[in-house]
mmCIF file of all heavy atoms in Angstrom:
data_model
loop_
_atom_site.group_PDB
_atom_site.id
_atom_site.type_symbol
_atom_site.label_atom_id
_atom_site.label_comp_id
_atom_site.label_asym_id
_atom_site.label_seq_id
_atom_site.Cartn_x
_atom_site.Cartn_y
_atom_site.Cartn_z
ATOM 1 N N VAL A 78 101.095 182.363 189.795
ATOM 2 C CA VAL A 78 100.620 181.126 190.435
ATOM 3 C C VAL A 78 99.328 181.424 191.180
ATOM 4 O O VAL A 78 99.127 182.558 191.645
ATOM 5 C CB VAL A 78 101.667 180.620 191.481
ATOM 6 C CG1 VAL A 78 101.304 179.252 192.003
ATOM 7 C CG2 VAL A 78 103.059 180.604 190.889
ATOM 8 N N PHE A 79 98.451 180.420 191.317
ATOM 9 C CA PHE A 79 97.173 180.602 192.011
ATOM 10 C C PHE A 79 96.926 179.513 193.037
ATOM 11 O O PHE A 79 97.336 178.374 192.816
ATOM 12 C CB PHE A 79 96.007 180.523 191.009
ATOM 13 C CG PHE A 79 96.103 181.508 189.913
ATOM 14 C CD1 PHE A 79 96.688 181.155 188.715
ATOM 15 C CD2 PHE A 79 95.611 182.781 190.078
ATOM 16 C CE1 PHE A 79 96.794 182.070 187.695
ATOM 17 C CE2 PHE A 79 95.715 183.701 189.077
ATOM 18 C CZ PHE A 79 96.316 183.345 187.874
ATOM 19 N N SER A 80 96.183 179.874 194.071
ATOM 20 C CA SER A 80 95.684 178.822 194.961
ATOM 21 C C SER A 80 94.591 178.086 194.195
ATOM 22 O O SER A 80 94.043 178.600 193.211
ATOM 23 C CB SER A 80 95.098 179.435 196.235
ATOM 24 O OG SER A 80 93.893 180.123 195.923
ATOM 25 N N GLU A 81 94.263 176.897 194.684
ATOM 26 C CA GLU A 81 93.245 176.093 194.008
ATOM 27 C C GLU A 81 91.909 176.843 193.927
ATOM 28 O O GLU A 81 91.249 176.891 192.887
ATOM 29 C CB GLU A 81 93.064 174.799 194.810
ATOM 30 C CG GLU A 81 92.444 173.674 194.032
ATOM 31 C CD GLU A 81 92.176 172.489 194.936
ATOM 32 O OE1 GLU A 81 93.004 172.223 195.833
ATOM 33 O OE2 GLU A 81 91.121 171.854 194.767
ATOM 34 N N GLU A 82 91.519 177.489 195.067
ATOM 35 C CA GLU A 82 90.246 178.225 195.094
ATOM 36 C C GLU A 82 90.238 179.345 194.071
ATOM 37 O O GLU A 82 89.287 179.481 193.313
ATOM 38 C CB GLU A 82 90.000 178.866 196.479
ATOM 39 C CG GLU A 82 89.592 177.939 197.565
ATOM 40 C CD GLU A 82 90.769 177.587 198.445
ATOM 41 O OE1 GLU A 82 91.923 177.792 198.008
ATOM 42 O OE2 GLU A 82 90.538 177.108 199.568
ATOM 43 N N ALA A 83 91.327 180.161 194.053
ATOM 44 C CA ALA A 83 91.364 181.305 193.142
ATOM 45 C C ALA A 83 91.283 180.832 191.696
ATOM 46 O O ALA A 83 90.609 181.461 190.869
ATOM 47 C CB ALA A 83 92.643 182.093 193.379
ATOM 48 N N ALA A 84 91.938 179.704 191.392
ATOM 49 C CA ALA A 84 91.925 179.186 190.020
ATOM 50 C C ALA A 84 90.513 178.772 189.617
ATOM 51 O O ALA A 84 90.063 179.050 188.503
ATOM 52 C CB ALA A 84 92.888 178.024 189.895
ATOM 53 N N VAL A 85 89.789 178.118 190.513
ATOM 54 C CA VAL A 85 88.438 177.646 190.152
ATOM 55 C C VAL A 85 87.471 178.840 190.092
ATOM 56 O O VAL A 85 86.682 178.958 189.163
ATOM 57 C CB VAL A 85 87.919 176.598 191.172
ATOM 58 C CG1 VAL A 85 86.477 176.216 190.862
ATOM 59 C CG2 VAL A 85 88.816 175.373 191.179
ATOM 60 N N ILE A 86 87.569 179.746 191.061
ATOM 61 C CA ILE A 86 86.621 180.859 191.130
ATOM 62 C C ILE A 86 86.873 181.862 190.007
ATOM 63 O O ILE A 86 85.945 182.482 189.486
ATOM 64 C CB ILE A 86 86.756 181.571 192.510
ATOM 65 C CG1 ILE A 86 86.338 180.625 193.614
ATOM 66 C CG2 ILE A 86 85.900 182.847 192.556
ATOM 67 C CD1 ILE A 86 86.733 181.076 195.001
ATOM 68 N N GLY A 87 88.144 182.053 189.638
ATOM 69 C CA GLY A 87 88.451 183.072 188.634
ATOM 70 C C GLY A 87 88.437 184.469 189.223
ATOM 71 O O GLY A 87 88.197 185.448 188.518
ATOM 72 N N ALA A 88 88.653 184.595 190.536
ATOM 73 C CA ALA A 88 88.721 185.916 191.188
ATOM 74 C C ALA A 88 89.730 185.826 192.331
ATOM 75 O O ALA A 88 89.762 184.840 193.076
ATOM 76 C CB ALA A 88 87.354 186.317 191.725
ATOM 77 N N VAL A 89 90.558 186.883 192.433
ATOM 78 C CA VAL A 89 91.633 186.921 193.437
ATOM 79 C C VAL A 89 91.433 188.169 194.321
ATOM 80 O O VAL A 89 91.169 189.246 193.793
ATOM 81 C CB VAL A 89 93.004 187.014 192.696
ATOM 82 C CG1 VAL A 89 94.097 187.565 193.592
ATOM 83 C CG2 VAL A 89 93.386 185.663 192.118
ATOM 84 N N ASN A 90 91.525 187.989 195.637
ATOM 85 C CA ASN A 90 91.449 189.191 196.504
ATOM 86 C C ASN A 90 92.721 189.409 197.289
ATOM 87 O O ASN A 90 92.843 190.383 198.020
ATOM 88 C CB ASN A 90 90.224 189.116 197.428
ATOM 89 C CG ASN A 90 90.493 188.234 198.634
ATOM 90 O OD1 ASN A 90 91.159 187.217 198.513
ATOM 91 N ND2 ASN A 90 89.974 188.603 199.766
ATOM 92 N N THR A 91 93.681 188.470 197.192
ATOM 93 C CA THR A 91 94.933 188.606 197.932
ATOM 94 C C THR A 91 96.113 188.163 197.049
ATOM 95 O O THR A 91 96.042 187.097 196.435
ATOM 96 C CB THR A 91 94.916 187.721 199.207
ATOM 97 O OG1 THR A 91 93.766 188.066 199.981
ATOM 98 C CG2 THR A 91 96.171 187.922 200.065
ATOM 99 N N ILE A 92 97.157 189.007 197.014
ATOM 100 C CA ILE A 92 98.359 188.665 196.253
ATOM 101 C C ILE A 92 99.532 188.642 197.215
ATOM 102 O O ILE A 92 99.651 189.509 198.096
ATOM 103 C CB ILE A 92 98.628 189.697 195.145
ATOM 104 C CG1 ILE A 92 97.451 189.699 194.154
ATOM 105 C CG2 ILE A 92 99.914 189.394 194.422
ATOM 106 C CD1 ILE A 92 97.535 190.814 193.121
ATOM 107 N N VAL A 93 100.379 187.632 197.062
ATOM 108 C CA VAL A 93 101.631 187.568 197.815
ATOM 109 C C VAL A 93 102.779 187.652 196.821
ATOM 110 O O VAL A 93 102.778 186.933 195.817
ATOM 111 C CB VAL A 93 101.721 186.255 198.645
ATOM 112 C CG1 VAL A 93 103.040 186.210 199.404
ATOM 113 C CG2 VAL A 93 100.545 186.124 199.610
ATOM 114 N N ASN A 94 103.723 188.545 197.095
ATOM 115 C CA ASN A 94 104.902 188.712 196.243
ATOM 116 C C ASN A 94 106.052 187.901 196.867
ATOM 117 O O ASN A 94 106.608 188.300 197.870
ATOM 118 C CB ASN A 94 105.251 190.199 196.167
ATOM 119 C CG ASN A 94 106.520 190.458 195.374
ATOM 120 O OD1 ASN A 94 107.104 189.565 194.789
ATOM 121 N ND2 ASN A 94 106.927 191.716 195.361
ATOM 122 N N GLU A 95 106.342 186.749 196.241
ATOM 123 C CA GLU A 95 107.440 185.926 196.774
ATOM 124 C C GLU A 95 108.637 186.056 195.845
ATOM 125 O O GLU A 95 108.695 185.410 194.801
ATOM 126 C CB GLU A 95 107.000 184.467 196.857
ATOM 127 C CG GLU A 95 106.245 184.201 198.148
ATOM 128 C CD GLU A 95 105.979 182.716 198.382
ATOM 129 O OE1 GLU A 95 106.533 181.861 197.669
ATOM 130 O OE2 GLU A 95 105.184 182.427 199.277
ATOM 131 N N ASP A 96 109.523 186.970 196.196
ATOM 132 C CA ASP A 96 110.739 187.226 195.398
ATOM 133 C C ASP A 96 110.411 187.481 193.938
ATOM 134 O O ASP A 96 111.045 186.897 193.040
ATOM 135 C CB ASP A 96 111.720 186.045 195.512
ATOM 136 C CG ASP A 96 112.065 185.769 196.980
ATOM 137 O OD1 ASP A 96 112.226 186.765 197.739
ATOM 138 O OD2 ASP A 96 112.141 184.601 197.376
ATOM 139 N N GLY A 97 109.411 188.291 193.687
ATOM 140 C CA GLY A 97 109.074 188.669 192.313
ATOM 141 C C GLY A 97 108.044 187.759 191.658
ATOM 142 O O GLY A 97 107.539 188.046 190.583
ATOM 143 N N GLU A 98 107.712 186.637 192.314
ATOM 144 C CA GLU A 98 106.655 185.763 191.789
ATOM 145 C C GLU A 98 105.344 186.123 192.475
ATOM 146 O O GLU A 98 105.262 186.047 193.709
ATOM 147 C CB GLU A 98 107.027 184.296 192.038
ATOM 148 C CG GLU A 98 106.042 183.362 191.368
ATOM 149 C CD GLU A 98 106.425 181.888 191.551
ATOM 150 O OE1 GLU A 98 106.320 181.387 192.692
ATOM 151 O OE2 GLU A 98 106.816 181.267 190.559
ATOM 152 N N LEU A 99 104.335 186.534 191.677
ATOM 153 C CA LEU A 99 103.073 186.976 192.271
ATOM 154 C C LEU A 99 102.085 185.805 192.370
ATOM 155 O O LEU A 99 101.738 185.199 191.360
ATOM 156 C CB LEU A 99 102.474 188.109 191.455
ATOM 157 C CG LEU A 99 103.312 189.382 191.341
ATOM 158 C CD1 LEU A 99 102.555 190.463 190.571
ATOM 159 C CD2 LEU A 99 103.722 189.913 192.725
ATOM 160 N N LYS A 100 101.684 185.516 193.608
ATOM 161 C CA LYS A 100 100.763 184.391 193.848
ATOM 162 C C LYS A 100 99.383 184.913 194.216
ATOM 163 O O LYS A 100 99.264 185.779 195.094
ATOM 164 C CB LYS A 100 101.277 183.519 195.002
ATOM 165 C CG LYS A 100 102.564 182.820 194.693
ATOM 166 C CD LYS A 100 102.900 181.809 195.789
ATOM 167 C CE LYS A 100 104.116 181.008 195.379
ATOM 168 N NZ LYS A 100 104.556 180.068 196.406
ATOM 169 N N GLY A 101 98.338 184.399 193.572
ATOM 170 C CA GLY A 101 96.956 184.865 193.820
ATOM 171 C C GLY A 101 96.162 183.913 194.710
ATOM 172 O O GLY A 101 96.203 182.696 194.504
ATOM 173 N N PHE A 102 95.471 184.477 195.659
ATOM 174 C CA PHE A 102 94.635 183.703 196.579
ATOM 175 C C PHE A 102 93.231 184.305 196.628
ATOM 176 O O PHE A 102 93.047 185.481 196.293
ATOM 177 C CB PHE A 102 95.217 183.744 198.011
ATOM 178 C CG PHE A 102 96.562 183.112 198.127
ATOM 179 C CD1 PHE A 102 97.722 183.841 197.831
ATOM 180 C CD2 PHE A 102 96.690 181.804 198.534
ATOM 181 C CE1 PHE A 102 98.984 183.257 197.934
ATOM 182 C CE2 PHE A 102 97.963 181.210 198.657
ATOM 183 C CZ PHE A 102 99.092 181.947 198.346
ATOM 184 N N ASN A 103 92.283 183.516 197.070
ATOM 185 C CA ASN A 103 90.942 184.052 197.312
ATOM 186 C C ASN A 103 90.582 183.754 198.759
ATOM 187 O O ASN A 103 90.267 182.600 199.110
ATOM 188 C CB ASN A 103 89.904 183.425 196.375
ATOM 189 C CG ASN A 103 88.560 184.094 196.525
ATOM 190 O OD1 ASN A 103 88.075 184.274 197.645
ATOM 191 N ND2 ASN A 103 87.964 184.512 195.423
ATOM 192 N N THR A 104 90.681 184.791 199.625
ATOM 193 C CA THR A 104 90.368 184.566 201.037
ATOM 194 C C THR A 104 88.914 184.953 201.348
ATOM 195 O O THR A 104 88.447 184.744 202.458
ATOM 196 C CB THR A 104 91.339 185.315 201.963
ATOM 197 O OG1 THR A 104 91.091 186.727 201.872
ATOM 198 C CG2 THR A 104 92.785 185.046 201.637
#
Side-chain angles (χ1 to χ4, degrees):
V78 188
F79 302 94
S80 70
E81 200 186 322
E82 285 100 342
V85 176
I86 296 166
V89 159
N90 80 323
T91 305
I92 298 173
V93 179
N94 177 5
E95 276 189 11
D96 303 322
E98 186 177 70
L99 299 184
K100 294 189 173 176
F102 296 84
N103 187 311
T104 70

